[in-house]
């Protein structure tokens, strides 16, 4: 019997066990760190001891396992060993990629006005409640920055963060209510069903083989009333003001953007190795309104546009300064991301010389700022049924929070309240795009 046939005969939970690899014994008590083994029997139980330290995780780390076994070296760079869909570098020795991810995190925070949108809804949801532990799942945690900041912001909550690779965090830097696990979510999440109040899934689309199935899986991990928050990148770049699709540089459009060409080729490369990029794009642009697990009255989608480079201005000096800082972060991150993606583009068939020429062109374009472009992040969120009504105290706290906020609003974050509005905007963004694509590509 083949491995695929064996997998078909396994239950979702069994496939999840097979997929899961625990990370270093972060936050274990000394006795647990020395005795930990795979113990799926702890699924669904509390993850903290009475002294505040973490218990053995659902699938615990074997202490003699070297974290380096979770990585493989390709062309001098380390990538994860769990998925052949996600091909960007990782590992502590590749600090440039971690730096890029952290810069992206800061830029997203500035654009969203914090660690998440729907600020009032999420703060009410995560507010301390006697006799109940609030739990947060961070999928695609990257460097772990979001999870650690959430653990510090909400010290009464338990945070579980998963990624394909170990995070570059020392154990003594972790809050006691935060732990990290290495996991390939393409193998299923049944071991997490019904356990979380908030699930944050950020920029995992290029590593997913069936986005609709994974979205269903994630939503089943919510408790009733829990919020699912999805954030992922748009592989299209946009021109200023009207947010029109900006053409990639090519023989047909020499005036186009080389940054856009890299994004265009990355998207095609992801699809070539089996990533369901199309599914991610259509699912998040359409929102969660049609999902039977999600209360349609709580659904929204959003478009967050971040400038690449320091060209953006605003009549409000504070907002202008914010835009320039975001733009500087995104320019540095985009140049770093171009370097990170070279191995992937070569893997799918592009000549090394061609990819290196593209990289030089991107650096020149973003340094000279001859092209003004924005990268868009698509968002979608909603709450699992049933949603309990808010108490009078919760409504009062929400009003106070709204009144006390003094943060300068980011000008290019748009929220759509209906599925019709979301789809109309998606169609508008695609207008004229088909005539601007390169005629030569793999």
């Amino acid at each position: 019997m083949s491995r695929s046939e064996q997998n078909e005969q396994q239950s979702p939970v069994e496939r999840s066990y097979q997929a899961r690899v625990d990370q270093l014994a972060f936050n274990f008590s000394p006795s647990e760190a020395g005795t930990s083994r795979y113990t799926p029997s702890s699924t669904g139980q509390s993850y903290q001891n009475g002294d505040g330290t973490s218990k053995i995780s659902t699938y615990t780390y074997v202490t003699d396992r070297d974290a380096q076994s979770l990585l493989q070296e390709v062309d001098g760079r380390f990538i994860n060993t769990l998925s052949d869909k996600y091909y960007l570098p990782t590992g502590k020795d590749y600090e440039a990629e971690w730096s890029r991810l952290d810069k992206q995190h800061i830029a997203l925070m500035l654009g969203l006005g914090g660690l998440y949108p729907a600020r009032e809804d999420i703060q009410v949801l995560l507010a301390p409640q006697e006799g109940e532990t609030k739990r947060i799942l961070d999928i695609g945690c990257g460097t772990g920055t979001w999870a650690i900041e959430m653990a510090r912001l909400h010290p009464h909550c338990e945070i579980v963060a998963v990624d394909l690779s170990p995070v570059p965090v020392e154990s003594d830097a972790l809050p006691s209510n935060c732990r990290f696990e290495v996991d390939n979510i393409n193998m299923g999440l049944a071991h997490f069903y019904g356990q979380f109040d908030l699930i944050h899934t950020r920029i995992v689309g290029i590593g997913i083989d069936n986005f609709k199935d994974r979205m269903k899986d994630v939503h089943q991990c919510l408790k009733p009333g829990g919020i699912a928050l999805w954030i992922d990148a748009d592989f299209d770049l946009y021109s200023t003001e009207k947010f029109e699709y900006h053409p990639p540089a090519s023989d047909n459009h020499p005036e186009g953007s080389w940054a856009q060409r890299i994004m265009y080729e990355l998207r095609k490369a992801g699809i070539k190795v089996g990533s369901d990029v199309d599914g991610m794009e259509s699912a998040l642009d359409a929102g969660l309104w049609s999902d039977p697990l999600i209360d349609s009255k709580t659904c929204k989608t959003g478009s967050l546009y971040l400038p690449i480079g320091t060209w953006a201005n605003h009549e409000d000096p504070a907002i202008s300064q914010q835009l320039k800082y975001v733009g500087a972060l995104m320019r540095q991150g985009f140049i770093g991301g171009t370097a990170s993606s070279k191995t992937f583009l070569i893997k799918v068939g592009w000549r090394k010389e061609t990819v290196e020429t593209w990289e030089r062109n991107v650096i020149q374009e973003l340094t000279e700022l001859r092209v003004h472009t924005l990268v868009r992040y698509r968002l979608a969120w909603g709450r699992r049924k049933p949603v309990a009504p808010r108490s009078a105290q919760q409504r009062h706290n929400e009003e106070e929070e709204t009144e006390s906020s003094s943060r300068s609003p980011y000008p290019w974050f748009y929220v759509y309240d209906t599925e019709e509005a979301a789809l109309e905007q998606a169609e508008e963004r695609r207008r004229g795009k088909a005539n601007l694509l390169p005629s030569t590509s793999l």
Side-chain angles (χ1 to χ4, degrees):
M1 182 182 295
S2 68
R3 177 171 293 183
S4 61
E5 289 172 332
Q6 291 174 344
N7 287 343
E8 286 298 320
Q9 293 185 5
Q10 291 177 321
S11 69
V13 174
E14 288 171 329
R15 289 197 295 272
S16 297
Y17 292 168
Q18 185 183 49
R20 191 165 191 74
V21 182
D22 276 339
Q23 193 175 332
L24 301 174
F26 286 168
N27 288 336
F28 286 13
S29 65
S31 62
E32 291 170 340
T35 60
S36 59
R37 291 293 186 271
Y38 281 104
T39 54
S41 60
S42 64
T43 300
Q45 298 177 8
S46 171
Y47 292 94
Q48 290 205 344
N49 295 311
D51 62 359
T53 59
S54 295
K55 289 184 178 179
I56 296 175
S57 64
T58 306
Y59 309 89
T60 56
Y61 179 76
V62 180
T63 55
D64 59 0
R65 184 192 302 273
D66 185 356
Q68 200 69 13
S69 67
L70 303 175
L71 307 175
Q72 57 181 316
E73 187 173 359
V74 178
D75 295 334
R77 297 180 179 182
F78 287 96
I79 64 171
N80 80 89
T81 61
L82 297 183
S83 173
D84 56 2
K85 310 285 187 299
Y86 190 85
Y87 217 75
L88 294 182
T90 186
K92 284 189 176 181
D93 61 338
Y94 199 69
E95 296 180 359
E97 177 64 5
W98 296 127
S99 176
R100 180 188 73 83
L101 292 173
D102 280 339
K103 289 171 183 175
Q104 177 179 250
H105 168 76
I106 295 170
L108 285 169
M109 277 191 61
L110 290 170
L112 295 174
L115 289 168
Y116 40 74
R119 184 178 176 188
E120 292 79 18
D121 288 336
I122 291 176
Q123 288 186 336
V124 168
L125 176 72
L126 297 180
Q129 189 170 342
E130 187 175 354
E132 182 181 354
T133 299
K134 301 299 178 72
R135 304 192 68 226
I136 300 167
L137 178 61
D138 183 19
I139 298 176
C141 66
T143 63
T145 304
W146 188 91
I148 292 171
E149 291 182 8
M150 285 293 287
R152 291 172 176 158
L153 183 64
H154 302 283
H156 59 284
C157 296
E158 292 181 1
I159 290 83
V160 179
V162 302
D163 203 280
L164 286 167
S165 304
V167 297
V169 180
E170 299 300 331
S171 57
D172 57 4
L174 285 177
S176 63
N177 59 329
C178 180
R179 83 171 195 276
F180 294 92
E181 297 175 356
V182 177
D183 202 351
N184 180 2
I185 68 171
N186 286 310
M187 299 294 287
L189 291 169
H191 49 285
F192 283 149
Y193 281 3
Q195 297 184 36
F196 294 95
D197 299 276
L198 172 65
I199 300 178
H200 173 260
T201 308
R202 188 167 80 180
I203 314 180
V204 300
I206 200 167
I208 301 299
D209 56 14
N210 187 317
F211 199 85
K212 183 177 180 181
D213 283 354
R214 295 291 72 76
M215 179 176 274
K216 180 180 178 181
D217 223 16
V218 168
H219 293 168
Q220 291 188 86
C221 296
L222 290 167
K223 297 177 184 177
I227 294 178
L229 170 59
W230 296 84
I231 304 175
D232 222 301
D234 190 335
F235 287 89
D236 295 338
L237 300 184
Y238 296 88
S239 299
T240 58
E241 298 179 358
K242 294 184 179 180
F243 305 114
E244 298 173 338
Y245 176 77
H246 195 96
S250 66
D251 292 341
N252 295 340
H253 297 282
E255 78 289 351
S257 165
W258 285 105
Q260 175 68 94
R261 181 62 183 265
I262 289 290
M263 294 291 280
Y264 173 80
E265 298 298 345
L266 274 177
R267 182 184 183 278
K268 290 182 69 67
I271 294 172
K272 189 171 184 177
V273 300
S275 298
D276 187 16
V277 178
D278 287 327
M280 177 273 288
E281 293 171 343
S282 60
L284 297 189
D285 284 347
L288 312 183
W289 283 278
S290 299
D291 191 309
L293 289 176
I294 303 298
D295 185 341
S296 60
K297 296 188 295 293
T298 67
C299 294
K300 294 184 187 296
T301 65
S303 290
L304 174 64
Y305 295 90
L306 303 180
I308 306 175
T310 56
W311 51 264
N313 288 291
H314 192 274
E315 59 185 14
D316 183 331
I319 296 177
S320 186
Q321 183 179 25
Q322 181 187 41
L323 288 170
K324 291 185 182 301
Y325 182 47
V326 169
L329 290 170
M330 293 304 296
R331 175 168 59 186
Q332 295 168 20
F334 206 99
I335 291 173
T338 301
S340 296
S341 66
K342 288 192 297 185
T343 299
F344 187 23
L345 294 173
I346 294 168
K347 170 185 167 64
V348 299
W350 284 107
R351 294 172 61 247
K352 181 180 179 180
E353 295 77 12
T354 299
V355 175
E356 290 178 344
T357 298
W358 290 349
E359 180 184 24
R360 289 193 296 271
N361 290 340
V362 167
I363 293 172
Q364 181 179 359
E365 175 180 303
L366 297 184
T367 301
E368 296 176 352
L369 293 180
R370 68 173 182 83
V371 177
H372 293 176
T373 52
L374 303 106
V375 61
R376 170 179 170 261
Y377 290 87
R378 41 170 59 89
L379 296 91
W381 64 91
R383 303 185 71 170
R384 182 171 183 174
K385 302 173 184 175
V387 178
R390 295 181 181 180
S391 66
Q393 182 62 46
Q394 287 174 329
R395 291 193 297 271
H396 175 71
N397 292 344
E398 179 181 334
E399 290 170 0
E400 284 191 340
E401 174 63 34
T402 302
E403 291 172 359
S404 64
S405 176
S406 59
R407 184 181 290 106
S408 297
Y410 185 81
W412 293 332
F413 180 35
Y414 304 91
V415 175
Y416 309 115
D417 296 324
T418 66
E419 184 175 13
E420 292 74 19
L423 293 175
E424 180 181 342
Q425 289 300 315
E427 184 63 30
E428 185 66 26
R429 286 190 299 271
R430 289 191 294 266
R431 191 179 305 277
K433 174 182 172 180
N435 300 322
L436 300 174
L437 300 180
S439 57
T440 56
S441 187
L442 291 177

